[in-house]
Amino acid sequence: MLKTHTCGELRLENAGQTVTLAGWVNRRRDQGGLIFIDLRDRWGVTQVVIDQASNPDAHQIASDSRSEFVLQVTGLVRRRPEGTDNPELETGLVEVVADKISQLNASKTPPFYIHKEEKIEEVRRMEYRYLDLRRPRMQQNIILRHRTMKFIRDYLDAQRFIEIETPILFKTTPEGAREFLVPSRYHAGKFYALAQSPQQFKQLLMVSGYERYFQIARCFRDEDLRGERQPEFTQLDLEMSFVEREDVMSLIEALMTDLVEKVSGKQLLFKPFKRLTFREAMESYGSDKPDLRYGLEAIDISDLGGKCAFPVLVSNVAEGKPVKVMRVPGAAKVSGTLLRKQAADLETLARGAGAKGLAYIALPENEAEEVKGPAAKYFTVEQKMELIQRTGAQPGDLLLFISDTRKVVYAVTDILRRTLAAQMNLGDPNILAFCWVYDFPLVEWNEDEKRWDPSHHLFTAPVWDDIQYMDSDPGRMRGQQYDLACNGYEVAGGSIRIHKADLQERILKLIGQDLEHARKMFGHLLEAFTYGVPPHGGIAWGLDRLVMLFAGEPNIREVIAFPKTQTGADIMVNAPSPAAAKQLAEVHISVVEEDIEDEEKGS
RNA sequence: GGGGGUGUGGUGUAGCGGCCUAACAUAUUGCCCUGUCAAGGCAAAGACCGCGGGUUCGAAUCCCGUCAUCCCCGCCA
């Protein structure tokens, strides 16, 4: 080894030892005859001091060294002189007096700071990702990701799970996300698809009797990207046999609780995790992945709405549309002009989500004053009292009225909650509010295609008692599905699967799959189901999102070592790139000329 | 597929029709400096303002197009 210690571990008790450190020049402070070098590796920073008078050779090398040079330093650890301690550094009580310095490598001036936290344009960071990853913040994120995965593996191993790899080169499936295609060289005109998830294989592993499988699996989806979505991402994929919904949920909850408490450094808001039915989540929060770190619930006041004098509300209620009110704490504690402007902004937002307007009542800070707002005059004093009582409103609060079709009410509730929470800074990033959402509808009516679509995926089992509605009222069937939401993100989702071929065929038929076609696509699975399948179920976590929340980062690129841009490009290696004609010929591909992008464009 | 933001020395920003011969900070280079740790002092170098076109007497600034990137909607079983 070229080092005896890391740059983060020397303490007072090491004083007197001769050590060898190796790392990067974090900073150099040249005072002429005396040079200080902060030597950095991923464990920390240690100050090296070089005295020209006592060691001219080392001084010369130190003098020639620049930021990010790679040095090896041998010297004596000593307590720093009185008054020169640096409490900012973990190693700040000691320093290494250089006896010998070797320049293991020089470095060009880096394109951005390694040692200083500063916003750098993401393009630049991606272009020099290997330098970006040298920055402490990124190193912490990557280490946190490793610790998360290590913890999961150890935990599941102790629970008698085994990790099994499944193919990445899979085949196209008709349902689901757009896939990346891989042409076959042996089979002209045929293609593999990169696996969107190990879903089918993990179910087959249950058929094979492994009972407890997991995998930290790379998945691929060729859909448009977002801050929380990458074309390749990582799932913790897990499947268990002979279980019911509750078994999977409690195992996952125990694992997640332990993981959060031992690895993330974050605080759990709910222990045990909150549980909401899909319907409850939508009614109160307008989302199936609500952020529960704050209130801002939509409270149903349809009965009051029907009785008040507000014509729109009255007619909405008559048409069976709900009336909801959302209490925004303290939002009315501003001047009348500002309040009107803010309310107008919120109304614009609501309109964007499909609403026709957004009425409000502002409760004055001084209780003697009249309530304000365009909706105020339509409610009697008793009705206002009732509103205040039901919402728990305080002086200075703002009450927003949301009324439309359920779909619109949900959308407006969601967007208002997200926007207000962001504006009012309600989401404490140190708190993780995990919440199970369950009892999703099994299928949803697709108006465009005039057919039923699975709301999770087509292997999800219906709640057994709901199978009776299969033919009469499919929309009434609930799926044995469970999602785990956290701080407004979906971090995991799973279900108990169908384990009988006949039921699977009925579902395929229901969702409009031509049975012959379905047999072609899923024949292997249906066939497997005839050889004794255990009841089984599982879950898949979005590991990137979870680590993102643990790290307190705003997007998953910050916790992925080599991520891609929003157009799926890797700026560092310059992928994707054209393929040579010979390569294309081998895989029986010809590229249509007009589709080729002009290589000269841009830079 | 659609909407929006951003693009100015290496980096981060300012400038938003003429005062721009483009400012500031930092980094870089040179010199000085033996207790610094955001080291300090002095000096120097460094930008055809993403690219192309247009409007104008005059464009970093306004308009159109284009490229890149970020955010959002659609999409993501």
Side-chain angles (χ1 to χ4, degrees), chain A residues 25 29 56 106 159 229 234 284 308 380 408 430 454 465 501 555 563 588:
Chain A
V25 175
R29 292 176 295 280
Q159 298 287 328
R229 289 190 225 152
T234 304
S284 295
C308 74
T380 65
V408 170
N430 289 314
D465 289 344
N555 67 65
H588 321 284

Side-chain angles (χ1 to χ4, degrees), chain A residues 255-267:
Chain A
L255 164 56
M256 187 68 88
T257 300
D258 235 25
L259 178 62
V260 168
E261 290 178 343
K262 298 200 170 117
V263 175
S264 76
K266 305 276 176 190
Q267 204 72 36

Side-chain angles (χ1 to χ4, degrees), chain A residues 301-442:
Chain A
I301 51 145
S302 298
D303 55 331
L304 275 179
K307 284 184 289 186
C308 74
F310 201 153
V312 180
L313 298 190
V314 173
S315 65
N316 276 355
V317 170
E319 291 169 34
K321 295 174 183 168
V323 180
K324 303 242 182 182
V325 62
M326 182 186 292
R327 176 173 80 93
V328 190
K333 291 181 181 173
V334 292
S335 73
T337 357
L338 186 57
L339 179 65
R340 277 191 292 279
K341 191 200 172 297
Q342 286 173 348
D345 288 346
L346 290 176
E347 181 163 10
T348 305
L349 211 60
R351 285 181 192 276
K356 291 171 193 72
L358 185 70
Y360 65 91
I361 286 181
L363 304 184
E365 275 189 87
N366 180 348
E367 289 188 54
E369 287 177 38
E370 266 301 297
V371 291
K372 291 172 289 194
K377 62 182 172 190
Y378 298 119
F379 292 90
T380 65
V381 174
E382 291 73 27
Q383 287 170 336
K384 283 177 202 162
M385 293 307 292
E386 180 76 19
L387 270 176
I388 289 167
Q389 195 250 320
R390 285 202 211 174
T391 56
Q394 302 291 317
D397 287 357
L398 180 69
L399 298 180
L400 299 169
F401 293 90
I402 310 165
S403 181
D404 207 299
T405 59
R406 286 209 180 271
K407 211 177 152 192
V408 170
V409 168
Y410 295 159
V412 172
T413 302
D414 187 35
I415 189 72
L416 287 178
R417 288 190 83 240
R418 286 173 185 278
T419 308
L420 287 166
Q423 280 172 6
M424 300 164 72
N425 217 0
L426 295 179
D428 181 344
N430 289 314
I431 287 177
L432 298 177
F434 283 96
C435 166
W436 288 108
V437 181
Y438 62 103
D439 275 353
F440 285 79
L442 183 71

Side-chain angles (χ1 to χ4, degrees), chain A residues 137 140-142 144-146 148 226-230 234 259 264 266 291 293 418 429-432 434 486-491 542-560:
Chain A
R137 166 180 156 194
Q140 280 162 24
N141 289 352
I142 297 299
L144 178 65
R145 186 185 178 107
H146 159 76
T148 301
R226 291 279 195 288
E228 52 172 285
R229 289 190 225 152
Q230 282 274 301
T234 304
L259 178 62
S264 76
K266 305 276 176 190
D291 191 340
R293 288 174 297 174
R418 286 173 185 278
N430 289 314
I431 287 177
L432 298 177
F434 283 96
C486 182
N487 295 9
Y489 293 95
E490 184 192 327
V491 294
L543 208 64
D544 310 279
R545 277 181 205 171
L546 191 69
V547 178
M548 172 189 90
L549 288 170
F550 285 1
E553 292 288 358
N555 67 65
I556 65 173
R557 294 186 300 278
E558 304 297 336
V559 298
I560 296 173

Side-chain angles (χ1 to χ4, degrees), chain A residues 189-204:
Chain A
K190 292 186 180 174
F191 296 84
Y192 301 95
L194 299 186
Q196 298 172 37
S197 79
Q199 183 62 37
Q200 293 189 42
F201 288 106
K202 71 173 172 180
Q203 289 193 244
L204 291 168

Side-chain angles (χ1 to χ4, degrees), chain A residues 126-340:
Chain A
M126 301 243 222
E127 187 181 353
Y128 296 96
R129 190 62 169 181
Y130 44 88
L131 293 180
D132 192 32
L133 289 169
R134 204 184 269 179
R135 293 159 67 229
R137 166 180 156 194
M138 289 305 288
Q139 292 200 340
Q140 280 162 24
N141 289 352
I142 297 299
I143 291 164
L144 178 65
R145 186 185 178 107
H146 159 76
R147 294 219 323 263
T148 301
M149 294 198 294
K150 169 89 165 92
F151 188 93
I152 290 169
R153 286 199 161 102
D154 290 347
Y155 188 100
L156 292 175
D157 177 68
Q159 298 287 328
R160 296 176 295 138
F161 281 80
I162 54 173
E163 185 164 13
I164 305 173
E165 292 166 280
T166 56
I168 284 171
L169 290 175
F170 189 43
K171 70 169 199 170
T172 59
T173 43
E175 297 283 320
R178 189 181 297 121
E179 298 157 316
F180 287 99
L181 288 178
V182 181
S184 163
R185 180 167 58 88
Y186 276 123
H187 306 278
K190 292 186 180 174
F191 296 84
Y192 301 95
L194 299 186
Q196 298 172 37
S197 79
Q199 183 62 37
Q200 293 189 42
F201 288 106
K202 71 173 172 180
Q203 289 193 244
L204 291 168
L205 286 167
M206 295 303 104
V207 179
S208 307
Y210 287 92
E211 292 207 21
R212 293 182 161 220
Y213 141 93
F214 83 99
Q215 179 181 194
I216 293 183
R218 197 62 68 83
C219 305
F220 305 87
R221 291 177 192 175
D222 191 8
E223 292 290 349
D224 288 354
L225 304 179
R226 291 279 195 288
E228 52 172 285
R229 289 190 225 152
Q230 282 274 301
E232 51 180 312
F233 61 100
T234 304
Q235 283 188 348
L236 164 63
D237 193 51
L238 179 149
E239 197 78 6
M240 305 166 78
S241 292
F242 306 109
V243 289
E244 295 175 312
R245 184 158 62 171
E246 195 59 41
D247 300 310
V248 182
M249 289 168 77
S250 61
L251 177 115
I252 292 301
E253 183 161 334
L255 164 56
M256 187 68 88
T257 300
D258 235 25
L259 178 62
V260 168
E261 290 178 343
K262 298 200 170 117
V263 175
S264 76
K266 305 276 176 190
Q267 204 72 36
L268 284 173
L269 185 59
F270 304 117
K271 202 174 146 181
F273 295 172
K274 184 108 174 170
R275 291 192 180 198
L276 294 170
T277 64
F278 172 75
R279 178 74 189 225
E280 288 167 345
M282 297 307 288
E283 288 295 327
S284 295
Y285 309 104
S287 167
D288 61 357
K289 42 178 194 290
D291 191 340
L292 299 183
R293 288 174 297 174
Y294 47 85
L296 303 177
E297 302 96 334
I299 296 163
D300 195 291
I301 51 145
S302 298
D303 55 331
L304 275 179
K307 284 184 289 186
C308 74
F310 201 153
V312 180
L313 298 190
V314 173
S315 65
N316 276 355
V317 170
E319 291 169 34
K321 295 174 183 168
V323 180
K324 303 242 182 182
V325 62
M326 182 186 292
R327 176 173 80 93
V328 190
K333 291 181 181 173
V334 292
S335 73
T337 357
L338 186 57
L339 179 65
R340 277 191 292 279

